[in-house]
Amino acid sequence: MKRTRLAVFCSGAGSNFKVLFQKAKEKKLPFEFIVCVSNNSQCGAMQFAREQGIHTIHLSSKTHPDPKEFNRALISKLSELQIDLILLAGYMKKITPELVKEFPKRILNIHPSLLPKFGGEGLYGLKVHEAVISAGEKESGATVHFVDNDYDTGEIILQEKVNVELTDTPESLAERVLKVEHRIYIQALEKVTLHQ
Ligand code: GRF
């Protein structure tokens, strides 16, 4: 079976990336983690990639001040590396329409809420959980979806709920949702690549 060549885009700690990598290894899934792309060369995800001998690409508005050049460089590297699928895991830059066009239904993202609720521009990290708690929601969760040209609006692949407790802080809710993220991202990836 052909192995799916993956690019993981991250800007932060990279816990989703690490779990995806470990679970794929444990379950002997036909995935190859080819490259980690980041706008932050020192983030946890990039460090992890270097430790594992996974290729890294650092692209930012500093390395490429012209957005068109940024896009061209990114797309040409991904095609050079023959990437099949892109996984966004805490990547803080907006995906451009050009990239979506190159990878139709081949870019996945994970978001820490029950989309379409609490998604969109400016809703990331703890801000999502603050908004959920302020709105008095009884449940929240995590969503894996395809990426389209807007923030957090693409077709949903998998979603799992968690209860919001009266005593929850944004931090405690984030911690529980992150556990769910770690469980469903690999399931969504398997669903997209193996069962369709
Ligand atoms: C996760 O909560 C993910 O849903 C969001 O960014 C966070 C990334 O965390 N898009 P990590 O870098 O995978 O630990």
Side-chain angles (χ1 to χ4, degrees):
M1 186 194 250
K2 185 189 175 294
R3 295 168 76 81
T4 305
R5 296 172 67 81
L6 301 169
V8 190
F9 286 26
C10 306
S11 304
S15 71
N16 276 289
F17 174 28
K18 292 175 192 169
V19 171
L20 281 166
F21 182 83
Q22 301 298 355
K23 291 201 173 163
K25 202 166 157 182
E26 273 165 35
K27 296 173 87 176
K28 297 190 171 47
L29 299 171
F31 301 142
E32 249 182 276
F33 289 82
I34 302 296
V35 64
C36 178
V37 174
S38 183
N39 54 328
N40 176 358
S41 62
Q42 296 310 313
C43 70
M46 288 289 260
Q47 284 170 20
F48 177 72
R50 287 191 287 266
E51 281 160 25
Q52 298 300 325
I54 297 169
H55 195 68
T56 57
I57 299 176
H58 173 223
L59 285 174
S60 70
S61 46
K62 286 203 184 112
T63 64
H64 293 74
D66 176 2
K68 283 201 174 117
E69 277 303 315
F70 180 102
N71 242 335
R72 262 199 288 272
L74 179 57
I75 290 171
S76 93
K77 298 240 183 211
L78 296 172
S79 89
E80 204 177 290
L81 294 167
Q82 301 183 324
I83 297 304
D84 298 311
L85 209 63
I86 297 172
L87 306 176
L88 308 184
Y91 184 61
M92 297 303 286
K93 276 184 86 79
K94 175 107 165 52
I95 297 301
T96 61
E98 290 80 6
L99 190 63
V100 174
K101 206 169 154 205
E102 284 294 317
F103 288 85
K105 272 192 129 183
R106 291 198 289 137
I107 308 176
L108 273 59
N109 182 41
I110 186 148
H111 184 81
S113 78
L114 291 177
L115 290 176
K117 283 186 156 184
F118 305 101
E121 191 166 5
L123 279 171
Y124 58 87
L126 281 181
K127 290 178 198 286
V128 176
H129 308 294
E130 279 160 13
V132 168
I133 291 172
S134 314
E137 294 288 315
K138 300 265 183 303
E139 38 184 41
S140 188
T143 305
V144 181
H145 64 96
F146 286 113
V147 172
D148 64 10
N149 287 332
D150 219 330
Y151 284 103
D152 307 320
T153 53
E155 183 187 328
I156 291 171
I157 302 163
L158 212 59
Q159 223 167 28
E160 194 180 309
K161 290 177 183 169
V162 303
N163 289 329
V164 179
E165 308 296 341
L166 282 172
T167 52
D168 261 328
T169 60
E171 289 78 7
S172 66
L173 182 56
E175 204 179 306
R176 278 205 317 289
V177 171
L178 192 61
K179 286 193 182 127
V180 169
E181 294 183 43
H182 292 165
R183 193 162 54 240
I184 68 168
Y185 211 168
I186 191 78
Q187 290 171 0
L189 182 57
E190 287 184 72
K191 188 173 171 199
V192 165
T193 55
L194 312 175
H195 309 310
Q196 276 189 1

